[in-house]
Amino acid sequence: MSAFVPTRTDEPSREKRLHEPHSPPPTRPRHRIAGADVSASIAVFLIALPLSLGIALATGAPLQAGLVAAAVGGIVVGYLGGTPLQVSGPAAGLTVVTAELIQRYGWRTTCAITVLAGLAQLGLGFVRVARSALAVSPAIVHGMLAGIGVTIAVAQLHIVLGGIPHSSVLDNMRELPAQLAGVHAAALSVSALTLALLLTWPRIPGRLGGLLRKVPAPLVAVAGASTAASFAGLSLPKVDLPSWSSHALAGLPEGPVLGLVAAVLTITLVCSVQSLLGAVAVDKLVATRPELSARVGRSDLDRELLGQGAANVVSGVLGGLPVAGVAVRSSANVQAGAVSRNSTMLHGVLVVVAALLMVPILELIPLASLAALVMAVGIQMVSLHHIRTVTRHREVLVYATTTLGVVFFGVLEGVTLGIAMAVAVAMHRLTRTRITHDEKEGVHHVHVRGQLTFLAVPRLSRALHLVPQGARAVVELDGSFMDHAAYESLQDWQNTHTAHGGSVELIGRRSGVRIGEPTGPVGLHLDGTGTAESADCRCHPWTAWRNHQCEIPESVTSRDGQAGEAQAAGADDSDEAGAPGKTGAPGNTRASGNTQASGDTSASDDAGELNTVGSAGAPDGTESPTGSGRPDESGVDGADRVGAGSETRGVSGGTDGSRPSGRQLARGISAFQRNTAPLVRGELARLAREGQQPSQLFLTCADSRLVTSMITSSGPGDLFVVRNVGNLVPLPGQESGDDSVAAAIEYAVDVLEVRSVTVCGHSGCGAMQTLLNSEPDGPQTPLRRWLRHGLPSLERMSDEDRPWARLAGRAPADAVEQLCLTNVVQQLEHLRAHESVARALREGALELHGMYFHVGEAQAYLLAEEGEESTDDVFDHVGVADLSA
């Protein structure tokens, strides 16, 4: 098993002369190209070659122009650009714009426009405005690319069917029925074969598929279709590359000045935005490879814009297409293991070699095959993921306007319409405010949705005056902005209402802060009239109690403590205390890793590492066990201490000054009831009516640092959680009277019919430490009897004939981490031995996943599927990249 640790070298400094005066000077190390860069450049070249020819075909430019742009993009941008791993060349996003310019002004003038656009990019790069280009709404960018994709797909469909495309989308759509009636069988068959190979090649299963997928699907599709067409003797139009001596170069621009200026602005806009967004996406991809991020660093967007401008100048002068960063090639470059800009530059050199030496081979490619390839790229530009994203953010109107504008009017016009629609939507959201009033159980609720400006003051005043004098009122502000007029109106009403004996509670973005009254750092009244509710901390819900930064006055704290004790004392007689969804979701009684389950708070003296038995605190060797029920120094009784769990225990049973007291539990519950419960009450009510229908069983350790809902971004009803010390899955029949884990597995699989089961381990697991350090002849405490289910993991790690579980990109830090990884793999095997799991796996109704969470890095790793990596058990780094074609 090979492993490597990322290293980082400092910038070379001027070396001192340490050699003797008459001795030869020390030799400088020669510049060497890493083998990873060579292999990555080959992979990118194999993708770029057919795509460059296809994009040139789609624009109506000479086919050599695509090769020129690919070579210049690789060499010039690779050398000068600010994103070392981004691959530039002819981009599908520029197809529509370039085709329109060629038809209107001719090829030589289009090359001149490309040169001028490059100069404009150089100017923008020198004034350092690259970061400002990212201010364009993503809905506009994605809508622009979608519109270009639709235009490409409709035009190339005519070539796929054996016809000739028209200049506009409307003409192409109008002529499509006639084209379908006169289909060219040979062209259609070659195109169908190309699309079939393009779609099926990445989906070949098994180890053989993993090896075959190393060859790019576009190359396989074009090569397969070309070979089939040659063997079948089909008569089809094919690639025609005339002699380079007759290649047309740039000429002086000819045409109306305003039209030329608009063309230059369009090329500059599309090239710049696409390249800069691609650079940001490449940064996200690089971040998924920790060993690479320190070596490559983040993109310099201004330098990237300068590199793109220089490439467009050179490409235009040499008679090439406009150049921009290309998502498909950049993604392939990173995934192929590139480590520097050398891979991008080598890919450009390979394109030059192919353009000079592989002309006879390239001329065997049917144009229908290239058209099918470009059509597939155009379809992929209409991303369903982007549509879902803009819909979720309520920007689908901007997206649709931009897309339709690009399709029917052109790129520049469509982007202009998209910007206008985005401004209109922003103004609508700023001025549109919905104010409602209703009464529930004697409490009057005034809900303000949207920004509160002077335009909404009359409606706000009418709603507030519906609240009777002396009544309790709750004003919910669901917005992020309030101007002075609205502030004064709300403040005046609040003062008047409270003067007549009423009460007002403001909740929302900054709940607990009373308008017009002096407040402390956490929204507490400084006049001594604060309540337990207003004294609650405003830290994030996932902030650990000990990490809260709020300064709570002692007077308020004492009142909080009394209120908390009163709540705790009355909890047994309250229906709310046991209501489903109030203290935990069904099937997951430990919904938060920060709160401990009440129950047995004692631990075995022999273990010395457990906080609580059956609680959410995992063994980490940081706690000293003590008995429960003894009052602490602050006077909180044993019942409160059990509720607070191990967070309140010290060696002598009191607080040590560095941890919050048991009152924090009452304050936490109060914060939930006030801030979170109103937001989730509707969803929990639905779950109470319909019952739980979780999609996953999540089996993990009881460690308090693992907050399952936080690391999985899940909510109530999503996960059926089972937690125990060491995330162990006992083999069937070996639990010695404790069938809790087996019962949970059977209930989840057979009754709840979950679709997947995940076993999650974590770094620094105290159970694994205990397992490593335990003596064979030691006393059989409850902890040691439970940990015997982890002995197979220990044996698996010691077996030299079996591959070690490891993390992708680095070796395990120590033996404990090695055992934590091995334990996940072993417990998955135990899981397969359970009858309900085995049956569901045979029926194809269940998936098993292994997961490892590094607490110190806040980084999750997923166990690779069989056949993805190798025969080893490799945990892959889970990143946040989203790079689409």
Side-chain angles (χ1 to χ4, degrees), residues 343-569:
S343 63
T344 304
M345 298 169 64
L346 279 175
H347 126 269
V349 173
L350 292 176
V351 171
V352 173
V353 173
L356 296 177
L357 303 180
M358 295 178 58
V359 172
I361 298 176
L362 297 178
E363 290 183 339
L364 296 176
I365 301 176
L367 296 182
S369 179
L370 293 178
L373 178 64
V374 177
M375 184 181 72
V377 173
I379 294 173
Q380 291 173 356
M381 292 173 70
V382 187
S383 171
L384 294 179
H385 170 71
H386 292 156
I387 294 176
R388 286 192 294 265
T389 301
V390 299
T391 302
R392 186 167 62 248
H393 291 282
R394 298 183 301 169
E395 291 186 332
V396 67
L397 189 60
V398 178
Y399 179 91
T401 301
T402 308
T403 301
L404 295 176
V406 171
V407 169
F408 293 109
F409 302 108
V411 174
L412 189 60
E413 294 83 354
V415 170
T416 303
L417 289 174
I419 293 175
M421 181 57 68
V423 172
V425 169
M427 294 298 296
H428 176 71
R429 290 176 179 173
L430 183 62
T431 58
R432 181 177 180 272
T433 305
R434 182 182 178 188
I435 304 174
T436 59
H437 167 269
D438 62 343
E439 180 184 359
K440 295 180 181 178
E441 300 177 356
V443 180
H444 292 260
H445 294 264
V446 177
H447 194 174
V448 181
R449 297 180 178 88
Q451 316 311 319
L452 203 51
T453 65
F454 67 94
L455 297 174
V457 167
R459 287 180 290 139
L460 176 65
S461 180
R462 284 195 296 268
L464 293 176
H465 282 82
L466 294 176
V467 180
Q469 291 185 358
R472 180 185 175 190
V474 177
V475 180
E476 302 178 33
L477 303 176
D478 187 9
S480 58
F481 174 76
M482 179 191 302
D483 70 1
H484 187 68
Y487 173 85
E488 284 194 349
S489 176
L490 188 56
Q491 183 187 39
D492 292 343
W493 173 83
Q494 181 188 20
N495 294 336
T496 302
H497 189 73
T498 53
H500 288 83
S503 64
V504 179
E505 180 181 2
L506 298 178
I507 62 177
R509 298 286 181 174
R510 294 187 60 199
S511 57
V513 180
R514 300 298 196 263
I515 294 180
E517 299 180 24
T519 61
V522 292
L524 300 176
H525 293 272
L526 301 185
D527 58 0
T529 61
T531 63
E533 289 186 358
S534 66
D536 188 67
C537 178
R538 297 299 158 195
C539 293
H540 290 297
W542 60 83
T543 304
W545 288 346
R546 71 185 71 183
N547 294 334
H548 278 224
Q549 303 298 320
C550 302
E551 298 285 342
I552 301 180
E554 186 175 352
S555 60
V556 178
T557 303
S558 62
R559 287 194 299 272
D560 261 358
Q562 296 170 4
E565 291 173 10
Q567 291 180 6

Side-chain angles (χ1 to χ4, degrees), residues 788-871:
R788 76 184 189 278
H789 301 301
L791 292 176
S793 302
L794 196 60
E795 296 171 358
R796 184 188 188 99
M797 189 179 74
S798 304
D799 189 353
E800 296 181 355
D801 296 332
R802 308 183 73 168
W804 277 11
R806 59 185 177 87
L807 298 176
R810 70 172 178 89
D814 50 28
V816 175
E817 185 170 58
Q818 181 65 71
L819 183 57
C820 293
L821 296 171
T822 305
N823 184 57
V824 172
V825 179
Q826 183 64 37
Q827 300 311 314
L828 285 173
E829 289 194 4
H830 290 186
L831 197 58
R832 293 185 181 94
H834 286 259
E835 180 182 355
S836 56
V837 174
R839 181 174 60 254
L841 288 174
R842 288 194 301 269
E843 296 172 355
L846 188 66
E847 296 179 352
L848 301 185
H849 301 286
M851 177 177 167
Y852 176 76
F853 185 76
H854 195 289
V855 177
E857 299 175 356
Q859 179 60 56
Y861 297 83
L862 285 177
L863 183 62
E865 299 286 344
E866 294 183 4
E868 281 190 5
E869 290 272 348
S870 64
T871 57

